Amino acid sequence: MGDGTTLTSGLSMSELGARIRGERRARGVSLERLAEVSGVSRSMVSEVERGAKTPSVLVLDRLATALGTSIARLLDEPVRPDAVVLARDRQQVVRDPAGWERRILSPVLPDIEFEFMRTTLEPGVDAGEFSPHAPGSHEYVAVEQGSLRLVIDGVTHRLEAGDAAYFPGNRRHAFANDSTDTCVYYLAMALAHAAGSLHHTPGRHNA
């Protein structure tokens, strides 16, 4: 499913897998438990951790969400909590073969789970449904260009250029571009710390 996903950070799949495995072990979580909570099959989690399989952006996000963290933290090392300038060529970019791109605009800071990203959806692309984050998380969306179909807990909201939205991060949420034009939107995500190592997200999706 995930073959073809590309990273611009120079991080190899084996390095990415090692980081995911490190985050999992740091929380004292088994492979089976991570698979259960993320909704990603155990075989896929194992292959990703070994660097044998390239995860789609959606799978990577589900693993990060289950671990109570963000894709940004899996891709980059924390910086000192000081003024940081992220030049364009230093920004982490993940491209999904389905036809969309996520550019991470915020640095990774110690003990702070916040991510600011710019997403580009090509015409007709459905990025899929993302798992709920821990209760107390917050997400903000602003559309720069085109039209976005935002679905929150099964309820559809259509945002046009200039529109913005907020929703609690512990809701199921999905993004899609039903139009014939490219959609560009920004998303800011502040994650709350889940009680315990992992929090349960309903539903199971095979990788």
Side-chain angles (χ1 to χ4, degrees):
M1 171 182 171
D3 291 340
T5 300
T6 60
L7 310 175
T8 62
S9 60
L11 197 68
S12 69
M13 287 303 111
S14 61
E15 290 170 324
L16 174 61
R19 288 188 177 184
I20 294 172
R21 184 170 59 251
E23 291 286 339
R24 174 175 65 78
R25 289 179 174 173
R27 289 160 173 76
V29 175
S30 68
L31 200 66
E32 291 76 12
R33 179 60 176 159
L34 178 56
E36 176 189 354
V37 176
S38 66
V40 177
S41 67
R42 184 192 184 286
S43 60
M44 170 64 96
V45 177
S46 177
E47 288 182 307
V48 168
E49 286 195 356
R50 289 186 286 109
K53 187 80 170 180
T54 305
S56 68
V57 180
L58 191 57
V59 166
L60 193 57
D61 186 87
R62 284 174 178 164
L63 294 175
T65 298
L67 290 167
T69 189
S70 64
I71 287 180
R73 191 170 296 276
L74 296 180
L75 296 180
D76 214 348
E77 296 291 341
V79 298
R80 292 195 321 168
D82 202 347
V84 178
V85 175
L86 272 182
R88 182 179 176 82
D89 60 0
R90 291 181 53 220
Q91 295 165 6
Q92 304 288 345
V93 181
V94 188
R95 295 187 178 93
D96 193 278
W100 60 288
E101 171 190 287
R102 172 180 284 188
R103 176 178 290 272
I104 300 169
L105 306 177
S106 51
V108 177
L109 301 174
D111 302 319
I112 297 177
E113 292 296 350
F114 174 84
E115 191 172 5
F116 179 43
M117 65 200 85
R118 181 181 189 268
T119 300
T120 302
L121 298 179
E122 296 301 326
V125 169
D126 187 339
E129 183 177 275
F130 293 80
S131 299
H133 301 289
S137 300
H138 306 277
E139 299 203 33
Y140 305 82
V141 181
V143 179
E144 178 185 80
Q145 173 186 328
S147 176
L148 176 69
R149 172 162 57 88
L150 171 64
V151 183
I152 304 170
D153 276 349
V155 179
T156 298
H157 307 268
R158 295 196 176 275
L159 281 64
E160 304 296 332
D163 292 344
Y166 160 81
F167 59 93
N170 64 330
R171 309 285 177 85
R172 293 180 294 111
H173 47 287
F175 306 91
N177 177 12
D178 298 330
S179 74
T180 56
D181 299 314
T182 299
C183 173
V184 178
Y185 66 92
Y186 291 86
L187 190 147
M189 180 175 69
L191 300 181
H193 290 289
S197 297
L198 294 174
H199 64 279
H200 179 68
T201 53
R204 181 174 182 85
H205 307 271
N206 289 329

